Amino acid sequence: MASHNLLRAFFLTVFLVSGISAQSFTNDVDVSGNANVQEDGNQLQLSLDSAGGSEAISKQEYLYGRFDMQIKAAGGSEAISKQEYLYGRFDMQIKAVPGYSAGTVTSYFLQSPRPSNDEIDFELLGNVTGQPYLLHTNLWTSGQGNREQQMNLWFDPTADFHNYTFVWNPHNIIWLVDGIPVRVYRNAQQQGIPYLSSQRLRVRAALWNGEEWATRRGRVKIDWSQAPFVAYFCGYRTDACSDGSQCSESRGQWWDWTLDEAQAKKLRWVRENYMVRDYCQEQGAPECSVNNP
């Protein structure tokens, strides 16, 4: 708990100095599913339960006919920002599902409406007890994804809160974990490469059932006897534009942010030591040539 408080105090200081505005889970987001807003709106608890493990059987038997039933499937929980944004810096502290978490996905992402969605993702993929989480990142443009990268983390994301940041500006998108860049996607529209520059996105936090792909590519499923699965979110901060012109006064701190050599060195360190999957090595997309650290 001491380390949690120190970490939260550190990020609070950063936010106050930088001018990033604190958001309330009570006032600034809409929640659904098994979501519980705590600590006067400063913390969000998301839970994943199962409707499985139970069964209903008709008393009557049939031969031929039409059969209708409405089913509420097992699902998770979600929070969605009331405000839409075009460019900004977005911070969230997350403590992922502890223990047996295989098949669960704790996610923090920016997204426009589907099916032609633009989207930037952080997803923490659960695992069996004692095995490490994977950090999964992805980017979608106009409904097209498949830009997936996965890496191990240099810490246990279930033991304490850690800060996950998107910096999205006209030059690039940077994913950071505790201030360390883990991915960059540069704007190369002049080379015909898609970029996120036209659709406004909402901030979303979710805990959901991803057992078809999340753990060992779907080979390990959710064990519903371990439910409920619980993740926590706090320290939600934005410093962003509601459109291309109505931006925060402190936008200068992120509007032109690109990686300097020291940050690029940290990114190379992450990739060399923790990267386990990179779509660029699997399919060689055009943007890969401009996104090497």
Side-chain angles (χ1 to χ4, degrees), residues 106-118:
T106 304
S107 59
Y108 164 50
F109 56 110
L110 311 179
Q111 186 186 60
S112 65
R114 291 178 175 175
S116 58
N117 55 299
D118 286 352

Side-chain angles (χ1 to χ4, degrees), residues 1-271:
M1 181 61 70
S3 61
H4 171 202
N5 291 334
L6 286 172
L7 186 67
R8 183 177 291 190
F10 167 76
F11 285 117
L12 179 58
T13 301
V14 172
F15 296 141
L16 291 175
V17 171
S18 65
I20 299 174
S21 61
Q23 304 294 312
S24 166
F25 291 112
T26 302
N27 301 323
D28 299 312
V29 304
D30 294 317
V31 299
S32 61
N34 299 320
N36 182 20
V37 177
Q38 304 170 334
E39 297 190 8
D40 297 324
N42 295 315
Q43 180 167 290
L44 177 69
Q45 174 187 291
L46 298 183
S47 301
L48 173 62
D49 286 306
S50 173
S54 57
E55 188 176 29
I57 304 174
S58 70
K59 295 180 180 179
Q60 181 67 53
E61 295 177 323
Y62 302 95
L63 181 63
Y64 307 134
R66 170 178 170 170
F67 308 91
D68 295 275
M69 181 177 289
Q70 294 184 354
I71 301 173
K72 184 177 181 180
S77 46
E78 186 175 37
I80 306 173
S81 69
K82 295 179 180 179
Q83 181 68 58
E84 297 176 320
Y85 303 97
L86 181 62
Y87 302 133
R89 171 177 173 164
F90 308 87
D91 291 82
M92 184 80 76
Q93 295 176 45
I94 304 172
K95 183 159 65 172
V97 177
Y100 190 103
S101 56
T104 68
V105 180
T106 304
S107 59
Y108 164 50
F109 56 110
L110 311 179
Q111 186 186 60
S112 65
R114 291 178 175 175
S116 58
N117 55 299
D118 286 352
E119 185 174 330
I120 315 167
D121 299 335
F122 271 121
E123 295 180 313
L124 291 159
L125 309 185
N127 213 332
V128 298
T129 303
Q131 296 300 309
Y133 264 71
L134 281 178
L135 178 65
H136 179 102
T137 63
N138 200 0
L139 180 139
W140 296 67
T141 59
S142 301
Q144 298 297 316
N146 297 320
R147 299 181 178 92
E148 298 168 326
Q149 293 182 355
Q150 293 181 342
M151 64 185 62
N152 293 314
L153 290 165
W154 51 95
F155 55 84
D156 178 359
T158 73
D160 212 336
F161 285 91
H162 290 268
N163 200 66
Y164 300 81
T165 304
F166 299 111
V167 173
W168 168 36
N169 62 36
H171 309 290
N172 51 211
I173 300 164
I174 306 171
W175 293 249
L176 303 104
V177 178
D178 291 341
I180 297 174
V182 298
R183 182 172 182 175
V184 63
Y185 185 92
R186 296 180 175 90
N187 185 349
Q189 285 181 302
Q190 292 184 346
Q191 301 177 38
I193 295 171
Y195 191 71
L196 284 69
S197 59
S198 59
Q199 296 196 75
R200 285 184 282 182
L201 313 183
R202 295 185 189 271
V203 182
R204 306 171 78 110
L207 176 60
W208 51 284
N209 176 358
E211 67 176 10
E212 294 304 316
W213 66 277
T215 306
R216 299 179 192 173
R217 301 200 178 190
R219 292 191 294 272
V220 182
K221 306 298 184 180
I222 288 182
D223 179 359
W224 291 110
S225 70
Q226 305 290 325
F229 303 100
V230 179
Y232 292 91
F233 298 75
C234 69
Y236 171 34
R237 304 287 192 272
T238 64
D239 184 4
C241 307
S242 57
D243 59 37
S245 58
Q246 297 179 0
C247 301
S248 64
E249 294 181 358
S250 56
R251 79 170 193 173
Q253 300 180 31
W254 53 263
W255 184 264
D256 292 315
W257 185 355
T258 59
L259 297 183
D260 60 24
E261 181 51 39
Q263 293 164 336
K265 183 177 180 180
K266 290 181 179 179
L267 177 58
R268 290 193 293 269
W269 171 78
V270 168
R271 292 177 61 86

